[in-house]
Amino acid sequence: MTTHYYTATSLDGFIATPEHSLDWLLKQDFDDEGPMAYPGFVADIGALAMGATTYEWVRAHDPVWSYAQPTWVFTHRDLAPPAGADVRFTSGDVREVYADMTAAASGRDLWIVGGGDLAGQFADAGLLDEVWLQYAPVTLGAGSPVLPRELELELVDVARNRAFLCGRYRVIR
């Protein structure tokens, strides 16, 4: 089982604008059947973790909850779950939640969805194994950093998916 942080980033290292928008990303040319694309990645995922800002963005932009996996949302706010979805809200430590996620994933991989700070918390606890970055051909100048931590990474794989340069890195502990 591997814990992944899989996300897209601007060339200058931001995953969202200062207003938490992903509009810059949604207009990029990306092949869902190409190398390192989302459908192939998510097929091996057994449980997800995301921050409240990512959760709120997904809920505002996707009328149907598209994740079949159990999802933990790290928040200090009172948020409503999507009908019929296995979404669990927590303000707990990532180490405690990781144990629950691992049990729910039944041997499949874990995905830290968006939220560079949340991925950083998993990394700080020694629980992040891989970082997958899809570099979009755009700069944002400011926004939410892709990973606001100092980490040492080893390049494992690289590919081009239309306009994106895609890299998969192993976290060196």
Side-chain angles (χ1 to χ4, degrees), residues 82-86:
D86 186 356

Side-chain angles (χ1 to χ4, degrees), residues 127-151:
L127 302 173
L128 185 64
D129 301 307
E130 289 190 350
V131 175
W132 294 50
L133 297 174
Q134 280 56 257
Y135 295 94
V138 64
T139 58
L140 300 178
S144 302
V146 69
L147 194 56
R149 297 289 195 280
E150 183 177 328
L151 286 179

Side-chain angles (χ1 to χ4, degrees), residues 3-163:
T3 302
H4 307 275
Y5 175 44
Y6 176 95
T7 192
T9 180
S10 64
L11 291 178
D12 55 349
F14 298 104
I15 59 174
T17 68
E19 299 77 31
H20 306 292
S21 173
L22 297 178
D23 291 341
W24 64 272
L25 175 61
L26 300 177
K27 59 186 173 186
Q28 300 300 318
D29 185 23
F30 194 79
D31 180 3
D32 280 338
E33 301 305 317
M36 295 193 199
Y38 172 80
F41 170 80
V42 78
D44 294 327
I45 300 300
L48 295 77
M50 66 178 66
T53 302
T54 300
Y55 175 77
E56 289 177 318
W57 191 92
V58 169
R59 295 287 291 142
H61 292 85
D62 190 355
V64 178
W65 185 253
S66 59
Y67 302 110
Q69 302 90 338
T71 302
W72 279 259
V73 177
F74 286 78
T75 185
H76 294 285
R77 300 190 293 259
D78 187 24
L79 301 171
D86 186 356
V87 175
R88 307 164 195 200
F89 299 100
T90 182
S91 59
D93 183 272
V94 295
R95 288 176 276 278
E96 296 166 10
V97 175
Y98 176 82
D100 294 337
M101 291 176 65
T102 300
S106 302
R108 296 173 71 205
D109 291 350
L110 306 180
W111 178 22
I112 313 306
V113 182
D117 185 61
L118 182 59
Q121 291 175 48
F122 276 83
D124 292 347
L127 302 173
L128 185 64
D129 301 307
E130 289 190 350
V131 175
W132 294 50
L133 297 174
Q134 280 56 257
Y135 295 94
V138 64
T139 58
L140 300 178
S144 302
V146 69
L147 194 56
R149 297 289 195 280
E150 183 177 328
L151 286 179
E152 190 172 341
L153 304 170
E154 175 189 1
L155 183 63
V156 175
D157 196 10
V158 65
R160 178 181 180 175
N161 186 317
R162 294 190 182 155

